[in-house]
Amino acid sequence: MLSYQAARGKVIEIAQARYRPRSTETIDIVRDPAAALGRVVAEDIRADRDYPSFDRSIRDGVAVRSVDVANVPARLKAVGESKAGGSYPGTLALGECVHIMTGAPVPPGADAVVMVEYTKAAGDWITVERSARAGDHIVRAGNEARGNQIVIPRGTRIGYAELSVAAQVGAANLPVFARPRVAVLATGDELVPADEEPGAYAIRNSNGVSLAAQISLSGAEPVILGAVRDREHDLREAIERGLGEDALVLSGGVSMGKYDLVEKILLEAGAEFYFDAVAIRPGRPAVFGSCKDKLVFGLPGNPVSAMVTFELFVTPAIDVLSGATPRPIPLFRAKVTHDLNEKPGLAHFLPAKMGFSDDGPTVEALRWQGSGDAVTLVNANCFIVVGTAQEHVSAGEWVDVFPRRGSI
Ligand code: AMP
Ligand code: MG
């Protein structure tokens, strides 16, 4: 049985070898910047000129010749000012200085800025109380980026920093890849839609909703196919519809039960499977394959299993289908508050709550009822990952923490 790392590696390998985004489009980031969030740039974005485009002061103060302030206090004559959006028209001579604001161009002749806190003004005369070296508080033209340099490489996912740079270099109509369309199909005789009253032994189809949300969060467009009964005919038809999209995510029907028909129907439709079990709990029966040239994921039906396996295995596939480099597994570390005892041989993902003490990050495993218990997840902002070889973890030890997206 594959480890979750190897299974994830397999997904990335297959997806990268065979799949590309379908097409590109542009987004007007001036009128609708939020529409660009989470999208992937389809072309290298280059600097349209040097950044900064002039030698820029990064403090409020006075622009000086450093030789004039080698010995302090030094008295200099203020001959003018340079403010953001303007400039001082002349060249600084020996014994002179210019009032300068943050973001303003450093005038020719000046080679340093002294912060206003270290100056005293009396009329046109400024007493400088601290010496400065050449270059102090100045960013030279082109030091952040040279004209034509790539500032956002193709394949980058757009967040607020990337949007800032796109706006800075004037990439107002940002070229992005089309979002992949990912179909979501829940399976199970017990399911009714969330807006219906379930019978005594029925349950509402929550995976159909949460998986669609995870698809959106990953940057793809969910195509909602609802739920289908555990009947070969119905399943075959619904799978056929799902294979019309870029990828298909199924929930349920991948365990060993009499009514777990997903793998059988996919096989009959010509699927090839790359794994059909992973050494994790929850989520062990997770299936990954391709069918009619589309990626297919069969996730276990228990809600927490579906969530965890989606994050581990479907997210990197969506990255590739979106034209992005797959994001690394977002693990960080925290000190666990209580002892843990888990069965070895499987990697365990335990719903947990991470917090911060004076000592650093801490994490507490929450009491839960197993992979059917999504209620506990509302209170969990992460999962503790207990590795395959670990049986016992003592309070105070550092453990791996897998954040629940959007909650840390
Ligand atoms: P399965 O993987 O099909 O054996 O399903 C395991 C359990 O997960 C079922 O008994 C249900 O309790 C639950 N389950 C299956 N599908 C869903 C769904 N779409 N939404 C919520 N719970 C589900
Ligand atoms: Mg089922």
Side-chain angles (χ1 to χ4, degrees):
M1 204 166 19
L2 292 182
S3 68
Y4 73 89
Q5 296 94 330
R8 187 181 166 98
K10 194 75 201 167
V11 169
I12 293 170
E13 176 199 319
I14 297 291
Q16 282 183 331
R18 303 208 196 151
Y19 296 93
R20 302 267 173 284
R22 259 179 298 110
S23 56
T24 62
E25 57 202 49
T26 58
I27 292 182
D28 177 345
I29 67 166
V30 177
R31 269 143 214 102
D32 195 2
L37 285 173
R39 304 302 298 269
V40 178
V41 291
E43 289 167 24
D44 291 336
I45 305 297
R46 292 172 183 274
D48 59 320
R49 57 179 183 176
D50 281 355
Y51 285 93
S53 56
F54 49 82
D55 293 348
R56 182 181 67 201
S57 173
I58 54 171
R59 294 283 185 272
D60 294 319
V62 290
V64 299
R65 287 172 174 267
S66 54
V67 289
D68 278 344
V69 296
N71 296 306
V72 287
R75 262 183 104 232
L76 301 176
K77 185 156 201 283
V79 293
E81 70 168 23
S82 178
K83 60 178 181 130
S87 68
Y88 172 68
T91 297
L92 216 64
L94 275 177
E96 292 179 348
C97 69
V98 160
H99 294 285
I100 194 163
M101 290 6 112
T102 300
V106 177
D111 66 356
V113 169
V114 178
M115 286 162 67
V116 69
E117 290 87 331
Y118 306 123
T119 65
K120 276 206 185 99
D124 283 348
W125 289 93
I126 306 288
T127 305
V128 175
E129 293 166 339
R130 281 231 181 152
S131 62
R133 280 169 309 174
D136 279 2
H137 304 311
I138 295 172
V139 178
R140 296 281 176 205
N143 264 9
E144 290 166 357
R146 287 268 169 219
N148 206 41
Q149 180 186 324
I150 295 171
V151 286
I152 311 175
R154 170 192 157 97
T156 304
R157 203 176 275 285
I158 298 291
Y160 54 80
E162 291 78 7
L163 264 175
S164 165
V165 172
Q168 181 182 327
V169 303
N173 288 305
L174 201 58
V176 297
F177 289 116
R179 283 182 204 278
R181 290 168 55 89
V182 179
V184 193
L185 176 64
T187 71
D189 283 340
E190 69 276 38
L191 302 176
V192 302
D195 57 357
E196 279 179 27
E197 203 56 48
Y201 303 110
I203 59 168
R204 295 192 177 96
N205 174 15
S206 60
N207 291 347
V209 174
S210 58
L211 289 169
Q214 286 178 285
I215 289 168
S216 292
L217 269 179
S218 308
E221 195 179 312
V223 177
I224 293 163
L225 299 184
V228 66
R229 303 203 156 275
D230 296 315
R231 304 274 148 61
E232 295 199 9
H233 173 77
D234 298 5
L235 201 50
R236 199 172 292 125
E237 246 181 35
I239 285 176
E240 205 63 49
R241 249 182 302 147
L243 293 173
E245 307 301 340
D246 296 317
L248 169 62
V249 176
L250 293 126
S251 105
V254 289
S255 303
M256 306 296 276
K258 184 173 163 201
Y259 297 102
D260 292 325
L261 302 168
V262 166
E263 276 172 276
K264 173 170 187 275
I265 302 295
L266 282 170
L267 265 181
E268 286 171 9
E272 184 182 348
F273 293 119
Y274 308 108
F275 59 78
D276 65 356
V278 185
I280 49 171
R281 177 177 288 167
R284 178 176 161 139
V287 173
F288 167 57
S290 65
C291 188
K292 300 202 156 80
D293 208 31
K294 301 294 169 63
L295 294 178
V296 180
F297 295 88
L299 309 183
N302 273 312
V304 183
S305 312
M307 293 175 200
V308 167
T309 51
F310 183 98
E311 292 298 302
L312 290 174
F313 310 126
V314 186
T315 303
I318 288 179
D319 281 341
V320 175
L321 292 171
S322 306
T325 310
R327 287 165 272 201
I329 296 184
L331 286 185
F332 45 90
R333 309 208 97 202
K335 274 187 186 168
V336 70
T337 55
H338 297 87
D339 290 3
L340 300 171
N341 289 294
E342 300 299 333
K343 187 176 167 220
L346 298 171
H348 295 262
F349 285 70
L350 310 172
K353 192 156 194 173
M354 184 171 175
F356 290 90
S357 72
D358 292 345
D359 235 16
T362 60
V363 66
E364 178 191 358
L366 301 175
R367 276 153 71 71
W368 72 318
Q369 305 303 318
S371 60
D373 177 10
V375 174
T376 295
L377 276 208
V378 173
N379 193 32
N381 56 13
C382 64
F383 297 89
I384 293 173
V385 185
V386 181
T388 324
Q390 275 172 299
E391 200 163 347
H392 180 80
V393 181
S394 301
E397 275 185 55
W398 290 91
V399 289
D400 285 335
V401 174
F402 185 72
R404 187 156 75 79
R405 245 190 307 169
S407 42
I408 292 186

